[in-house]
Coordinates of all heavy atoms in Angstrom, one line a residue:
W10 N -2.1 13.0 10.9 CA -3.0 11.9 11.4 C -3.5 12.4 12.7 O -2.7 12.8 13.6 CB -2.2 10.6 11.6 CG -1.7 9.9 10.4 CD1 -0.5 10.0 9.8 CD2 -2.5 9.1 9.5 NE1 -0.4 9.2 8.6 CE2 -1.7 8.6 8.4 CE3 -3.9 8.7 9.5 CZ2 -2.2 7.8 7.5 CZ3 -4.3 7.8 8.5 CH2 -3.5 7.4 7.5
G21 N -18.0 18.1 29.0 CA -18.8 18.1 30.2 C -18.5 19.4 30.9 O -18.3 20.5 30.2
E44 N -36.4 11.8 18.2 CA -35.6 13.0 18.0 C -35.2 13.6 19.3 O -35.9 13.5 20.3 CB -36.5 14.0 17.3 CG -36.3 14.1 15.8 CD -37.1 15.2 15.2 OE1 -37.0 16.3 15.7 OE2 -37.8 14.9 14.2
V51 N -33.0 25.2 30.4 CA -32.7 24.0 31.0 C -33.8 23.6 32.0 O -34.1 24.4 32.9 CB -31.3 24.0 31.8 CG1 -31.1 22.7 32.6 CG2 -30.2 24.3 30.9
Y57 N -30.0 15.7 29.9 CA -29.2 16.5 28.9 C -27.8 15.9 28.8 O -27.0 16.2 29.6 CB -29.2 18.0 29.3 CG -30.5 18.7 29.4 CD1 -31.1 19.0 30.6 CD2 -31.1 19.1 28.2 CE1 -32.3 19.7 30.7 CE2 -32.3 19.8 28.3 CZ -32.9 20.1 29.5 OH -34.1 20.8 29.6
T86 N -10.4 19.7 18.1 CA -11.5 20.0 19.0 C -12.1 21.4 18.7 O -11.6 22.1 17.8 CB -11.1 19.8 20.5 OG1 -12.3 19.9 21.3 CG2 -10.1 20.9 21.0
H130 N -18.7 25.0 16.9 CA -19.2 23.7 16.5 C -20.5 23.3 17.3 O -20.4 22.8 18.3 CB -18.1 22.6 16.9 CG -18.3 21.3 16.4 ND1 -17.4 20.5 15.8 CD2 -19.5 20.5 16.4 CE1 -17.8 19.3 15.5 NE2 -19.1 19.3 15.8
E132 N -22.4 25.0 19.3 CA -22.4 25.3 20.7 C -22.4 26.8 21.0 O -21.8 27.2 22.0 CB -21.2 24.6 21.4 CG -19.9 25.0 20.8 CD -18.8 23.9 20.8 OE1 -19.0 22.8 21.5 OE2 -17.7 24.1 20.2
K167 N 0.0 29.1 19.9 CA -0.2 27.8 20.4 C -1.0 27.0 19.4 O -1.0 25.8 19.4 CB -1.0 27.7 21.7 CG -0.1 28.3 22.8 CD -0.7 28.2 24.2 CE 0.2 28.8 25.3 NZ -0.3 28.7 26.6
N175 N -18.3 24.8 12.0 CA -18.5 23.3 11.7 C -19.7 23.0 10.9 O -20.8 23.5 11.1 CB -18.6 22.6 13.0 CG -18.7 21.0 12.8 OD1 -17.7 20.5 12.4 ND2 -19.8 20.4 13.1
L184 N -32.2 21.4 5.9 CA -33.3 22.2 6.4 C -34.3 21.6 7.4 O -35.5 21.6 7.2 CB -34.1 22.7 5.0 CG -34.9 23.9 5.2 CD1 -34.1 25.2 5.5 CD2 -35.8 24.1 4.0
I224 N -9.1 38.8 10.1 CA -8.6 39.2 11.5 C -7.5 38.2 11.9 O -6.4 38.6 12.3 CB -9.7 39.1 12.5 CG1 -10.8 40.2 12.2 CG2 -9.2 39.3 13.9 CD1 -12.1 40.1 13.0
H226 N -5.5 36.3 10.0 CA -4.3 36.5 9.2 C -3.5 37.7 9.7 O -2.3 37.8 9.6 CB -4.6 36.6 7.8 CG -5.0 35.3 7.2 ND1 -5.7 35.1 6.0 CD2 -4.7 34.0 7.6 CE1 -5.8 33.8 5.7 NE2 -5.2 33.1 6.7
M254 N -29.7 15.6 -13.1 CA -29.9 17.0 -12.8 C -30.3 17.2 -11.3 O -29.9 18.1 -10.7 CB -31.0 17.5 -13.7 CG -31.1 19.1 -13.8 SD -29.5 19.9 -14.2 CE -29.6 21.3 -13.0
D268 N -18.7 27.7 -2.4 CA -18.5 28.8 -3.4 C -18.2 30.1 -2.7 O -17.3 30.9 -3.0 CB -19.7 29.0 -4.4 CG -20.0 27.7 -5.2 OD1 -19.0 27.0 -5.4 OD2 -21.1 27.5 -5.6
K334 N -38.8 11.8 -0.2 CA -38.9 10.7 -1.1 C -37.8 10.7 -2.2 O -37.6 9.7 -2.8 CB -40.3 10.7 -1.9 CG -41.5 10.3 -1.0 CD -42.6 9.9 -2.0 CE -43.2 11.1 -2.8 NZ -44.1 12.0 -2.1
P338 N -32.8 4.6 -0.6 CA -31.6 3.8 -0.3 C -30.8 3.4 -1.4 O -31.3 3.3 -2.6 CB -32.2 2.5 0.4 CG -33.7 2.8 0.6 CD -34.1 4.0 -0.3
W347 N -27.4 2.9 12.1 CA -28.2 4.1 12.2 C -28.7 4.5 10.8 O -29.1 5.6 10.5 CB -27.4 5.3 12.8 CG -27.6 5.2 14.3 CD1 -28.4 6.0 15.1 CD2 -26.9 4.3 15.2 NE1 -28.2 5.6 16.5 CE2 -27.3 4.6 16.5 CE3 -25.9 3.3 15.1 CZ2 -26.8 3.9 17.7 CZ3 -25.4 2.7 16.2 CH2 -25.9 3.0 17.5
F381 N -22.9 0.1 18.0 CA -22.9 -0.4 19.4 C -21.7 -1.2 19.6 O -21.4 -2.1 18.8 CB -24.2 -1.2 19.5 CG -25.5 -0.5 19.5 CD1 -26.3 -0.6 18.4 CD2 -25.9 0.3 20.6 CE1 -27.5 0.1 18.3 CE2 -27.1 1.0 20.5 CZ -27.9 0.9 19.4
D392 N -13.9 -5.0 15.2 CA -13.4 -5.3 13.9 C -14.2 -4.5 12.8 O -13.7 -4.1 11.8 CB -13.4 -6.7 13.6 CG -14.7 -7.4 14.0 OD1 -15.1 -7.3 15.2 OD2 -15.4 -8.0 13.2
Q434 N -26.9 10.2 21.9 CA -26.6 9.0 22.6 C -25.1 8.9 22.9 O -24.3 9.4 22.2 CB -26.9 7.8 21.7 CG -28.4 7.5 21.5 CD -28.6 6.5 20.3 OE1 -28.4 6.8 19.2 NE2 -29.0 5.3 20.7
V444 N -15.5 4.7 26.5 CA -15.7 5.4 27.8 C -17.0 4.7 28.4 O -18.0 4.6 27.7 CB -16.0 6.9 27.5 CG1 -16.3 7.6 28.8 CG2 -14.8 7.5 26.9
K467 N -0.8 1.7 14.7 CA 0.1 1.1 13.6 C 0.0 1.9 12.3 O 1.0 2.1 11.6 CB -0.2 -0.4 13.5 CG 0.5 -1.1 12.4 CD -0.1 -2.5 12.2 CE -1.5 -2.3 11.6 NZ -2.3 -3.6 11.3
V468 N -1.2 2.3 12.0 CA -1.5 3.0 10.8 C -0.7 4.3 10.8 O 0.0 4.7 9.9 CB -3.0 3.3 10.6 CG1 -3.2 4.3 9.5 CG2 -3.8 2.0 10.4

Side-chain angles (χ1 to χ4, degrees):
W10 291 102
E44 266 186 45
V51 174
Y57 296 107
T86 187
H130 190 134
E132 56 209 355
K167 294 186 184 181
N175 183 65
L184 199 68
I224 294 166
H226 285 157
M254 193 55 220
D268 295 337
K334 282 197 299 278
W347 276 261
F381 291 108
D392 47 305
Q434 289 172 287
V444 178
K467 179 190 66 180
V468 172

